Amino acid sequence: QVQLVESGGGLVQAGGSLKLSCAASGSIFSIVVMGWHRQAPGKQREMIATITRGGTTNYVDSVKGRFTISRDNAKNTVTLQMNSLKPEDTAVYFCHTFTSEPPRSYWGQGTQVTVSS
């Protein structure tokens, strides 16, 4: 079992910045990849950024150049630095991880990010 606890959401004006953090605990030895997804009202949940244990990152096109994902393997945390925020970034952001033993996904409880125009 892996537990994920997110922090850092909130309200910000367009053009501003926010930093999300996610702390993992439990069976962290088998974590393969960590990342962030988001779900806006009336829309499907989408992956926005992932990072492997080795540091390989992947971003959805809409956040490239604005968001940066990073990972501290020693502290078992993953952060998402969000810059140049837009109103369309408004969503509930979920921390996600995938483990190899057993192969399964875990989700955080979600944190609200609201960007005002």
Side-chain angles (χ1 to χ4, degrees):
Q1 293 284 334
V2 174
Q3 294 78 42
L4 301 173
V5 178
E6 301 134 336
S7 61
L11 173 65
V12 65
Q13 288 188 329
S17 299
L18 280 175
K19 184 177 181 180
L20 305 182
S21 295
C22 175
S25 61
S27 302
I28 57 176
F29 65 92
S30 66
I31 290 176
V32 176
V33 62
M34 298 187 75
W36 292 90
H37 291 61
R38 68 185 179 188
Q39 187 166 19
K43 295 187 177 181
Q44 290 188 330
R45 190 173 298 188
E46 65 170 344
M47 183 282 292
I48 55 172
T50 62
I51 185 167
T52 67
R53 180 171 288 275
T56 301
T57 59
N58 186 39
Y59 298 91
V60 69
D61 286 346
S62 61
V63 307
K64 285 181 180 178
R66 301 188 298 123
F67 292 9
T68 302
I69 189 170
S70 60
R71 179 172 175 171
D72 186 331
N73 289 330
K75 296 182 179 180
N76 304 308
T77 58
V78 61
T79 60
L80 185 69
Q81 179 66 47
M82 304 185 294
N83 298 328
S84 302
L85 283 161
K86 305 175 181 180
E88 52 263 44
D89 293 318
T90 295
V92 178
Y93 285 68
F94 296 89
C95 180
H96 170 262
T97 188
F98 184 81
T99 60
S100 59
E101 298 178 10
R104 64 164 290 181
S105 289
Y106 295 89
W107 295 90
Q109 79 281 4
T111 185
Q112 178 70 46
V113 170
T114 302
V115 184
S116 63
S117 57

